[in-house]
Amino acid sequence: MKVPRTVRIDSGKKTEFVFVVGNDLCVNLNRNAPSKSKFFSVKCSSDVQYSINPPPTTTSRPTPPIPLNGNSTLNFTMTRASEQENDNKLSVWYYDEKKEILGKAVLHLTAIEISLDVDADRDGEVEKNNPNKGSWKWGPDGHGAILLVNCDCERSYWKKPDHMQKGNAVTRVSDLKDMSLMVLRTKGPAKLPEGYKLTMHISQSDAEGVRVFRSKTPPVVISESFGSLFYNDFVKDYPLVLSSKDLSQEVMYLGGESEFKFYVEGLKFPDVDFDGFIRINLSLLEPICKGVPETPIFTDQVVFRVAPWIMTPNTLDPIDVFICSTSDNYEFVKGITKLAEKSGCTINICHEYKNRGDRWIQDELEFGYIDSPHQSFPVVLDSPRDGKLVDFPYDELLGPDFGYVTRVPERKDVSSLDSFGNLEVSPPVTVNGTNYPLGRILIGVAFPTATKGRNMTKVVQEFLWAQKVQEPIALFSDWLYVGHVDEFMSFVPAPDRKGFRLLLASPDAGYKLFRDLQSNGHGKATLFDGVKDEKPLTVDEMLEDDNFHSQNRYVQSCIDWNRDVLKRELGLEDEDIIDLPILFKLVVEKGNENQFRAVAFYPDMVNMIVLGKNLGIPKPYGPKVDGRCALEAEMCSLLEGLGLNCTFIDDFASYHKRLGEVHCGSNVRRKPFEMKWWNLQM
């Protein structure tokens, strides 16, 4: 319910008052009436509409004196802006019992239109005075403006994300496209009555997440007579209006019918201490007298929500492939390059003088993006692992329309689980009627009962949870030596069912395949045939090793735990899952003789790169049957029926022996979702 604002009038005085069109005002007629007042009457200009409560018995205007009682009120409004100061008037006359005049209160009124406007309907345009601009609602029928964290960098040298650049002004006009437009629209006389002023202000808490800039030279009014304005569009400096150091600042009232543009910059992503909402206020202040603070008589508010960081799953189309070149991975680089070109992707090779021997580019970073109705760009999330690729995300990726974000924990909190092979995201799913159209983030942690297990560091987990649009799922990965979820799972596109398949490493599937080989007379076929410095192992020898089998039963139980979690949290059925024949072995953790963790026994085929329908799979060097690797044949049988093309890439010496595979040594930037995050039903 719209409640009129209470104002006061003083008998025997003339009061100037600025009225904001669209509001209703209420006067308590008895409060400041002269002593012995028993009646009153009202007169006003033609642009002022009023009503009296309780209503008088007559409807004639001007009203004859009517009885004054303790609850007599006058409500009035104006529907259009003034052309000059004080060009409207409202007066209240007071009478005694004999209806003789005791005094009158005169209110000189200047009506103005004021609206602080944003793109509240999310169509890329700043509409005028949207009724929903002061609130935020999720969904396709939702409303509320969107703000990007300005985390790319317009500079080529001395780079920093733009929101971290020092100084109080925008120095490059190109940076404005990463900010959200906010428009102050006013209409009224050439100037406000003396002492009135407009201020823009934010709270201290919101100021940590936002800055507001304006044009250094305000719009210049060239002509008012035709109801149109012309603006100076050539200003290249945009001074700071609001920040953590300046919570409030007066803004210029231009007169006539004018628009004043402001540019709102996001400074921080949603996180555990920030819900992502920013509120900006505009107030009209009324003077009382010299030495006394002004009081607000009108406030307008707009609400922004900061866009979340969004990950992209394997089922989205690839754009760029990133790999590292080292002294020993020529065949790997050649194989990935050929696959990328076949898939229509750009190949980006980080050479050794930059990577300094660190080949694990998947572990160093994760590609995502941020999106709004007016702008979208990729944003790399830099992991806290900080190997020798530590500078790559910042130095090589941060740039114009390519953002950067990281979370830095205390050093003691960082473990192998903080590498981003331990960070994946599912394709879109629906779970028990709940839709996740942007998928769900997957992270690996310690088993719930573990007391000394490794976990992804708290600050990264909190960041991922705070984005809200891809609700994370915790999987059990601490049983692995390296500890990454990409060692036992992946997603590939599919033409049916949910549009994808979940691939899971399965020792049971591996043993089934090898037992079938043995029963078909291929027990003497060897694994690792032709691999340098690797002793060949027959199928019979492997199957006879009871300890090895026990190790794989343990691994299967760990994967089954995760299988159940994934089925429950992603709404999957067994038909949505493909078990890949992969075996593991347990090794002693370095520095802890009592701790055994698992590594892949032969190249871990689930640890693949997915480029559309083209899969780059670690070459497993399994036993050959009729001249063909039985493991490769099984992979092709399982996946090619989905329209996928399997390419096997030799990573044995350069990656597998170093406890990683193809996915660990590559990274992919993908197209964003067509689904807009703000249309989610939350």
Side-chain angles (χ1 to χ4, degrees), residues 4 37 118 245-246 261 264-265 287 292 338 391 408 438 448 510 518 522 532 536 553 579 591 621 644 650 671:
S37 294
V118 292
K245 294 181 180 179
D246 294 291
K261 292 182 178 179
V264 185
E265 176 188 45
V292 176
K338 185 176 180 180
D391 297 326
V408 181
L438 303 179
Q518 186 183 56
H522 302 294
K532 184 180 179 181
R553 285 200 300 270
D579 293 311
Y621 286 96
L644 302 172
D650 186 357
K671 291 183 179 179

Side-chain angles (χ1 to χ4, degrees), residues 235-523:
V235 179
K236 295 189 181 297
D237 288 331
Y238 292 79
L240 189 64
V241 178
L242 299 177
S243 69
S244 59
K245 294 181 180 179
D246 294 291
L247 302 180
S248 178
Q249 191 168 136
E250 184 176 355
V251 296
M252 190 177 298
Y253 171 79
L254 297 174
E257 184 171 1
S258 60
E259 294 185 354
F260 202 167
K261 292 182 178 179
F262 295 83
Y263 299 89
V264 185
E265 176 188 45
L267 303 182
K268 58 190 293 188
F269 282 94
D271 214 323
V272 65
D273 59 347
F274 175 48
D275 63 6
F277 290 103
I278 297 288
R279 297 159 185 85
I280 300 176
N281 305 282
L282 180 79
S283 292
L284 176 64
L285 301 184
E286 177 186 45
I288 302 298
C289 64
K290 188 175 181 180
V292 176
E294 303 99 338
T295 57
I297 61 171
F298 168 80
T299 295
D300 207 5
Q301 184 182 82
V302 295
V303 173
F304 291 90
R305 191 188 193 280
V306 176
W309 180 79
I310 301 172
M311 286 182 64
T312 51
N314 286 352
T315 48
L316 291 175
D317 291 337
I319 301 173
D320 297 312
V321 176
F322 293 80
I323 55 174
C324 291
S325 173
T326 61
S327 60
D328 62 350
N329 74 342
Y330 173 77
E331 290 299 325
F332 175 85
V333 170
K334 185 171 72 172
I336 295 291
T337 299
K338 185 176 180 180
L339 186 69
E341 292 172 347
K342 177 182 177 181
S343 305
C345 303
T346 301
I347 186 74
N348 299 271
I349 300 175
C350 177
H351 295 283
E352 195 159 15
Y353 73 92
K354 291 181 181 178
N355 67 53
R356 296 174 292 174
D358 187 350
R359 67 198 68 209
W360 309 112
I361 197 165
Q362 177 66 223
D363 290 338
E364 184 59 42
L365 59 96
E366 188 69 51
F367 288 109
Y369 69 96
I370 57 177
D371 192 17
S372 74
H374 68 276
Q375 172 71 319
S376 176
F377 55 81
V379 176
V380 60
L381 176 62
D382 190 358
S383 84
R385 77 181 275 266
D386 291 348
K388 293 180 180 179
L389 276 167
V390 58
D391 297 326
F392 179 81
Y394 198 94
D395 291 349
E396 302 299 322
L397 297 178
L398 173 63
D401 295 331
F402 208 123
Y404 172 92
V405 64
T406 190
R407 286 294 177 268
V408 181
E410 295 181 14
R411 188 64 208 176
K412 63 182 181 180
D413 291 339
V414 176
S415 73
S416 175
L417 272 67
D418 292 306
S419 297
F420 282 169
N422 197 33
L423 174 61
E424 296 298 321
V425 64
S426 79
V429 292
T430 298
V431 186
N432 296 325
T434 301
N435 192 23
Y436 298 92
L438 303 179
R440 298 188 68 180
I441 286 173
L442 307 168
I443 59 174
V445 298
F447 196 70
T449 59
T451 57
K452 295 183 180 181
R454 300 167 298 172
N455 279 293
M456 181 177 284
T457 191
K458 183 180 179 183
V459 292
V460 174
Q461 290 199 52
E462 289 174 342
F463 172 81
L464 296 172
W465 274 99
Q467 306 314 302
K468 291 185 73 74
V469 297
Q470 296 176 303
E471 183 181 337
I473 300 169
L475 300 175
F476 171 38
S477 67
D478 190 36
W479 55 275
L480 289 154
Y481 190 93
V482 176
H484 297 173
V485 293
D486 68 354
E487 297 177 73
F488 66 85
M489 61 165 291
S490 185
F491 296 96
V492 294
D496 57 359
R497 295 188 64 80
K498 293 177 172 61
F500 68 90
R501 292 291 190 276
L502 167 64
L503 308 183
L504 285 179
S506 173
D508 282 353
Y511 266 90
K512 182 177 186 303
L513 182 146
F514 290 118
R515 288 193 186 105
D516 287 346
L517 290 177
Q518 186 183 56
S519 65
N520 289 325
H522 302 294

